[in-house]
Amino acid sequence: MKKYVLLIIMAAISMVLPVSQVFAAYPVTMTVGTDTGNRDATISIPITVDNAQLLAGAAFTLVYSDALTITVGSDFFDTFYNQFSLLDTTGSPNPDGGEYGESVFPVYEDPEADPLVIDHSIDIPVTIDSDDFYQPLISNPADIGLLISAALCVPPAGTDPAVIFTLNVTLNAGMPGGDYYISIIPTELDNADAGYDPAAEIDLLVGSDINETIDSGNAFPDIFPVEDWYDSDIGTSTAVSGLVTFTDADGDSDGMGDGWEAYHFGTTDNDGTADTDFDGYADFYEHENATAPNDYPDSQDVAGGAGYNACTDDRIETQQVSLTGPDYAYATSNITVSVNYDVSDNDNMLDGISLYVYFDSDKVDYTGYSDFLEVGDTMQLPVGAVVLDDSGDTDENADTDKMILMSWTASGSWPGTTLPQLLTNLNFHVKNTVSSEDVLAFNVTCHQTSDGYSFCGTGCQSTISELSLDIDGDGNADALTDGILIIRYLLNFQAGGATWIDGAVADGAVRTTAAEIEAYIAIALEMLDIDGDGNADALTDGILIIRYLLNFQAGGATWIDGAVAGSATRTIAAEIEAYIASCIH
């Protein structure tokens, strides 16, 4: 949320030239400064003008984040109270104070603290020559923020350019460090009694014409066009926008400042993934959104903002769909992504659900589905291999470009099965153009839920890995483990049951079961065709692998004798050595 602070300074004009000439030729440019400090520091930001001699005052609004507290000081301007509510008997301003006289300009103070000053409502006019005028002072309404009133009737000499105000900026407790913009925009005044249009709320510069005496009816108000000084391109113009940066070290590189973490959690061990107050925003996004993460339930934020995830919001019931697939995939392999269903309140008698599942068609081809849940009045989509373009990036992931629509409907009776429930398996073929460490992303969004339920979707991803002769994945291609596994597989030992791997799996292996090793070798069969004859064969390719891993090649070119097929395309030792070397990663 942004805070709007109305800062009133009397209008800019020259002591020498008529008003119309001054603002046409000599607009006053205001600039908000920029500075950096630690999250616990007070940072001073100057507001400057480039021509102080033109400045008798101005009206503008200071805009800043409510993560900040700003107090305003000025050595350039005095307050309205000091300059205009204390007068001598002749009616001239007395900037140095004195006894109370007639109040020419209403000012805001607390009447309970001092009964001599005007009350909050600012409904008492300034009467000059029988005409009533209302000075556009602001009473400090809570929904706007800090309001400052200041003025200088005669600009001091030798202040060109000048700092007219200093903003003392502090970061509020519990707010994250980072960049915070402070901008100046024109204020909108709507006091019809003072000459402004309440319907249009005119953007303007206001003040007294110092070619007139202060007690003259012509002195105030005076209006100058905003376009003479205001650059409307807020946020990009250095004339109206500044930046304050509060640094907060992120020693654990989790994207959250250590000071912010320590304030809210008493430690910096939080990795940001938990939703501590169960409002749908992980702690990382609470940091990003500058919201409180852990005062349950008082700190629960409104759903639907940046980073919102219905899955962790305990205020709502959700239909939950999660995708699961292999952690790793390989070029030219086939993979299956399962679509799983559950409900937060375990109600299995709803109206159904409609989903989109997303994938990257540059990396995988969709080849169809299996095990599609057929219950009740189910409407089944897709039929065959229907794939739609994700032209609107509806999953907010630029890496996916296609989506599959599927839907189930059964009024008040779906799915009618025990939860959780497999909805379907989606099958994909990995293209041969993928590279090692590429990521295959699969996401899910909801087209329609049952009445009264929000949607919780969780995608999955697979990382492309290079195939290797390191069959068991222990980090080494070894003759007496990986070589034996290859030979046994190519001789069809796996048909005898899971014990076919016994004694051939290394202690540090990551693939340790027969099913895992069988699946890996099945994918790698094309790679295992060492001599390039089109077949992976135990008595040729298998023998070549075992000999190479036992370092037979050190004995010379004859190490391949008797192990190369007659139809081989790699037929000499150098070719076969180079190929096998390329298969060891």
Side-chain angles (χ1 to χ4, degrees):
M1 180 182 293
K2 294 247 180 130
K3 182 175 287 185
Y4 298 85
V5 178
L6 187 61
L7 182 59
I8 296 188
I9 316 162
M10 294 295 290
I13 81 172
S14 167
M15 292 291 295
V16 179
L17 298 177
V19 170
S20 61
Q21 294 177 352
V22 169
F23 278 85
Y26 304 103
V28 176
T29 299
M30 295 183 184
T31 303
V32 184
T34 295
D35 205 352
T36 299
N38 184 272
R39 63 173 291 113
D40 298 322
T42 297
I43 300 176
S44 294
I45 300 295
I47 297 179
T48 60
V49 293
D50 62 346
N51 194 334
Q53 293 302 310
L54 294 181
L55 194 68
F60 57 82
T61 301
L62 195 66
V63 184
Y64 60 94
S65 167
D66 60 4
L68 305 177
T69 293
I70 296 181
T71 60
V72 183
S74 177
D75 294 326
F76 186 90
F77 287 105
D78 202 352
T79 65
F80 275 114
Y81 181 85
N82 286 338
Q83 293 188 42
F84 298 120
S85 77
L86 301 181
L87 308 174
D88 62 22
T89 56
T90 64
S92 300
N94 182 357
D96 297 325
E99 294 183 0
Y100 281 92
E102 179 186 1
S103 180
V104 175
F105 286 88
V107 295
Y108 169 68
E109 291 287 350
D110 186 353
E112 295 180 359
D114 189 340
L116 295 177
V117 299
I118 293 173
D119 68 16
H120 298 215
S121 61
I122 314 182
D123 57 1
I124 301 175
V126 176
T127 302
I128 302 175
D129 297 337
S130 300
D131 292 324
D132 290 346
F133 294 93
Y134 290 79
Q135 172 71 8
L137 303 184
I138 304 300
S139 64
N140 198 20
D143 60 339
I144 293 179
L146 176 67
L147 306 183
I148 304 299
S149 178
L152 184 68
C153 285
V154 181
T159 57
D160 194 12
V163 175
I164 59 172
F165 282 98
T166 300
L167 310 176
N168 302 306
V169 187
T170 56
L171 186 64
N172 293 337
M175 293 295 105
D179 295 338
Y180 292 92
Y181 285 94
I182 301 172
S183 299
I184 286 179
I185 62 174
T187 191
E188 296 180 342
L189 302 179
D190 59 2
N191 189 337
D193 292 314
Y196 317 126
D197 183 349
E201 292 193 322
I202 305 168
D203 290 340
L204 42 73
L205 220 61
V206 300
S208 63
D209 184 347
I210 57 177
N211 292 313
E212 302 288 344
T213 60
I214 197 67
D215 56 355
S216 165
N218 298 322
F220 179 86
D222 206 19
I223 299 176
F224 307 114
V226 170
E227 57 267 22
D228 283 334
W229 69 279
Y230 169 58
D231 185 339
S232 62
D233 194 12
I234 292 296
T236 61
S237 170
T238 58
V240 292
S241 185
L243 179 69
V244 59
T245 300
F246 288 96
T247 58
D248 191 0
D250 181 14
D252 52 2
S253 300
D254 60 6
M256 300 180 295
D258 295 341
W260 183 88
E261 283 188 74
Y263 178 89
H264 288 288
F265 304 107
T267 178
T268 60
D269 294 337
N270 188 324
D271 66 3
T273 58
D275 180 5
T276 304
D277 57 0
F278 300 103
D279 61 356
Y281 298 93
D283 296 338
F284 171 82
Y285 287 105
E286 300 274 16
H287 179 274
E288 293 297 290
N289 297 337
T291 50
N294 64 344
D295 185 16
Y296 181 86
D298 294 341
S299 60
Q300 290 185 317
D301 299 299
V302 177
Y308 178 73
N309 179 4
C311 300
T312 61
D313 191 339
D314 70 355
R315 299 166 295 184
I316 59 176
E317 300 296 347
T318 56
Q319 288 182 280
Q320 304 167 355
V321 175
S322 61
L323 306 182
T324 55
D327 291 335
Y328 296 94
Y330 307 90
T332 74
S333 66
N334 296 314
I335 63 172
T336 297
V337 173
S338 298
V339 183
N340 311 288
Y341 174 77
D342 207 347
V343 184
S344 59
D345 61 359
N346 206 40
D347 189 346
N348 66 348
M349 302 295 283
L350 300 180
D351 298 327
I353 196 168
S354 184
L355 308 171
Y356 291 111
V357 173
Y358 301 78
F359 65 94
D360 183 353
S361 65
D362 289 334
K363 297 175 181 175
V364 297
D365 290 317
Y366 170 63
T367 58
Y369 62 90
S370 59
D371 304 310
F372 196 93
L373 179 64
E374 300 275 4
V375 292
D377 302 325
T378 297
M379 177 178 68
Q380 179 176 324
L381 290 173
V383 178
V386 176
V387 176
L388 307 173
D389 288 329
D390 178 25
S391 57
D393 192 22
T394 49
D395 66 339
E396 298 181 353
N397 187 331
D399 291 334
T400 58
D401 64 332
K402 301 291 183 181
M403 58 188 185
I404 305 163
L405 172 64
M406 57 196 70
S407 181
W408 293 261
T409 59
S411 179
S413 62
W414 188 85
T417 60
T418 301
L419 299 176
Q421 171 69 54
L422 173 69
L423 296 183
T424 190
N425 286 315
L426 301 176
N427 303 312
F428 299 89
H429 178 73
V430 183
K431 295 186 175 182
N432 62 5
T433 54
V434 296
S435 301
S436 178
E437 303 305 319
D438 278 353
V439 173
L440 309 180
F442 301 94
N443 299 319
V444 59
T445 67
C446 186
H447 179 61
Q448 186 173 2
T449 62
S450 296
D451 287 345
Y453 287 80
S454 293
F455 178 70
C456 164
T458 306
C460 68
Q461 63 182 33
S462 300
T463 302
I464 298 298
S465 179
E466 290 185 296
L467 290 169
S468 170
L469 294 180
D470 178 17
I471 302 300
D472 59 10
D474 72 334
N476 297 290
D478 184 86
L480 301 183
T481 54
D482 306 299
I484 295 298
L485 289 171
I486 292 169
I487 287 284
R488 289 179 182 176
Y489 184 94
L490 295 180
L491 289 172
N492 201 30
F493 278 29
Q494 67 274 18
T499 59
W500 75 274
I501 68 171
D502 288 356
V505 178
D507 290 340
V510 295
R511 287 180 283 273
T512 58
T513 68
E516 291 172 328
I517 291 171
E518 287 175 34
Y520 185 83
I521 296 178
I523 293 170
L525 283 177
E526 183 177 343
M527 177 193 69
L528 296 178
D529 178 16
I530 304 301
D531 59 9
D533 72 336
N535 296 290
D537 184 84
L539 301 181
T540 54
D541 306 300
I543 295 298
L544 288 171
I545 291 170
I546 289 283
R547 288 179 182 177
Y548 182 94
L549 295 178
L550 290 172
N551 201 30
F552 278 30
Q553 66 274 20
T558 59
W559 75 275
I560 68 170
D561 288 354
V564 178
S567 58
T569 58
R570 285 183 285 271
T571 58
I572 62 174
E575 292 175 329
I576 291 173
E577 288 176 30
Y579 180 77
I580 295 178
S582 72
C583 297
I584 299 175
H585 307 291

